[in-house]
Amino acid sequence: MAKIIITDCDFENTDFEEELCRKAGVELEVFQDRTPEAIIEHAADADGVITSYGEFPRRVFEALPNLKVVSRTGVGYDSIDVPAATEHGCAVCTAPGYGTEVVSDHAITLALCVLRRINEIDADMRNGVWDYARTRPLGQVRGRTFGVVGMGEIGRATARKAHGLGFKVICCSRSLVPGRRTPEGYDIVTYEELLQQADVVSLHTALTKDTFHMLDAERIALMKEGAVVVNTARGPVIDTDALAEALCQGRLWGAGIDVFEGEPVDFDSPICKAPHTVLTSHAAYWSEESGLELRTRTTQSAIDVVLGKRPADCLNPQVFEG
């Protein structure tokens, strides 16, 4: 019988995954340890792996030559050495598009909460204070420019929603040529121009060596005084300490952050003490609807591969050729 293991997950239980595997005639085992050493130990006799945050460097694939698939509950894959997986004939699957609407919803929500200082007014109310003036200045949408960094599916959905609310939208992306316009009519600018022009900078890029700390102290200095930073992409695309310092110095209006350089976040870190922030616990990807889609697609991809079928979403389909 083919065997799949779950190395780690954020779900309350794995009943759903177990039922899908049972119906497919596939054995499923679960443990909670994302380290390469634990994965090598527990997956020694596994045909497939389902993971959320598991670390899969080259040595994992070298130690597990019979592994056929790693299926990740998400879109990003920076924790998986895809070239190494390909060399060892292991498919790497993700679930592109599953969270497009909910992540873009979350990005817009963070931006509005920061502009309107909703969490700060709410905190006052709960402490018996009826005085919105304490939290001023309060912002509005009209007259502000929303900058989208990265125009993949989530970036485009965020741009669409920001435009619908009344923001002027500008964008930048590796695949777009500055000086032109997108089919939707958004001005395409360079990253530096976006930082200089945008009142809200919303990050929607993958984490690569080129995007690591792409928003650092030097680039924050290019931003408008009173700008808002939103990050629902990957924590390390921002130098979080530099962002916290800018917030404490009052250079920025505020920040809405869902992802952090280390997760779970260190609650003693400067960003957790910085003013005018809305912080969420890597929650942007989750709604009950998106969660069901994510779990279904991730598990089905693993099942398909271990049963000799081609999955719907695979980063390295060449492993099935020849």
Side-chain angles (χ1 to χ4, degrees):
M1 179 183 290
K3 180 178 180 180
I4 294 171
I5 65 166
I6 296 178
T7 65
D8 63 298
C9 70
D10 288 338
F11 313 135
E12 63 276 10
N13 59 59
T14 56
D15 294 348
F16 182 78
E17 290 77 7
E18 290 172 11
E19 179 64 12
L20 286 180
C21 286
R22 185 191 65 78
K23 290 180 178 179
V26 174
E27 181 182 356
L28 182 71
E29 289 186 4
V30 182
F31 69 97
Q32 289 284 353
D33 194 330
R34 66 182 69 174
T35 64
E37 293 73 21
I39 293 168
I40 290 170
E41 176 186 353
H42 290 278
D45 61 344
D47 300 286
V49 167
I50 297 172
T51 187
S52 293
Y53 305 107
E55 301 168 28
F56 289 81
R58 176 174 292 273
R59 69 178 185 274
V60 171
F61 299 104
E62 292 174 343
L64 302 174
N66 297 320
L67 192 64
K68 297 180 179 68
V69 59
V70 174
S71 188
R72 184 177 180 274
T73 58
V75 176
Y77 49 91
D78 45 274
S79 63
I80 304 171
D81 188 334
V82 178
T86 304
E87 289 177 27
H88 289 80
C90 180
V92 178
C93 300
T94 58
Y98 85 92
T100 297
E101 292 303 320
V102 69
V103 175
S104 56
D105 287 350
H106 202 89
I108 294 294
T109 301
L110 288 175
L112 295 179
C113 282
V114 174
L115 280 173
R116 297 297 302 160
R117 308 224 190 271
I118 297 296
N119 62 323
E120 298 175 48
I121 296 174
D122 177 80
D124 273 355
M125 291 283 288
R126 294 175 189 279
N127 286 317
V129 178
W130 180 283
D131 184 6
Y132 74 86
R134 281 168 40 92
T135 61
R136 291 178 59 195
L138 301 176
Q140 66 179 35
V141 168
R142 186 177 181 183
R144 280 184 164 82
T145 297
F146 195 105
V148 178
V149 181
M151 286 289 280
E153 290 188 19
I154 295 173
R156 287 187 180 277
T158 303
R160 167 172 51 84
K161 293 171 184 179
H163 182 262
L165 286 170
F167 285 103
K168 174 186 176 182
V169 174
I170 61 176
C171 63
C172 66
S173 186
R174 289 179 300 172
S175 60
L176 300 177
V177 179
R180 299 181 181 179
R181 287 190 171 184
T182 69
E184 301 87 353
Y186 313 137
D187 288 335
I188 304 167
V189 297
T190 67
Y191 179 46
E192 288 71 21
E193 288 171 336
L194 185 145
L195 294 178
Q196 292 167 346
Q197 297 175 26
D199 299 289
V200 178
V201 174
S202 190
L203 299 165
H204 300 280
T205 63
L207 177 62
T208 67
K209 59 182 178 60
D210 295 323
T211 62
F212 178 80
H213 280 191
M214 67 183 299
L215 189 63
D216 56 11
E218 181 179 352
R219 292 185 176 94
I220 289 172
L222 297 175
M223 296 177 65
K224 286 184 173 182
E225 288 201 13
V228 172
V229 173
V230 173
N231 188 12
T232 55
R234 285 289 183 269
V237 302
I238 294 180
D239 181 339
T240 313
D241 288 346
L243 174 62
E245 183 177 355
L247 290 164
C248 289
Q249 291 174 348
R251 282 207 67 258
L252 299 176
W253 185 283
I257 307 295
D258 182 61
V259 286
F260 300 85
E261 293 197 65
E263 294 185 357
V265 69
D266 177 358
F267 293 110
D268 290 324
S269 68
I271 194 64
C272 290
K273 303 179 186 305
H276 309 312
T277 56
V278 178
L279 308 179
T280 55
S281 54
H282 203 141
Y285 78 101
W286 186 266
S287 67
E288 302 314 310
E289 297 86 354
S290 68
L292 178 61
E293 179 183 350
L294 173 64
R295 297 175 76 173
T296 301
R297 290 173 60 187
T298 302
T299 306
Q300 192 61 53
S301 288
I303 290 172
D304 285 346
V305 176
V306 302
L307 293 183
K309 303 175 184 178
R310 195 164 183 148
D313 301 298
C314 182
L315 296 171
N316 53 349
Q318 60 267 42
V319 300
F320 298 104
E321 298 171 1

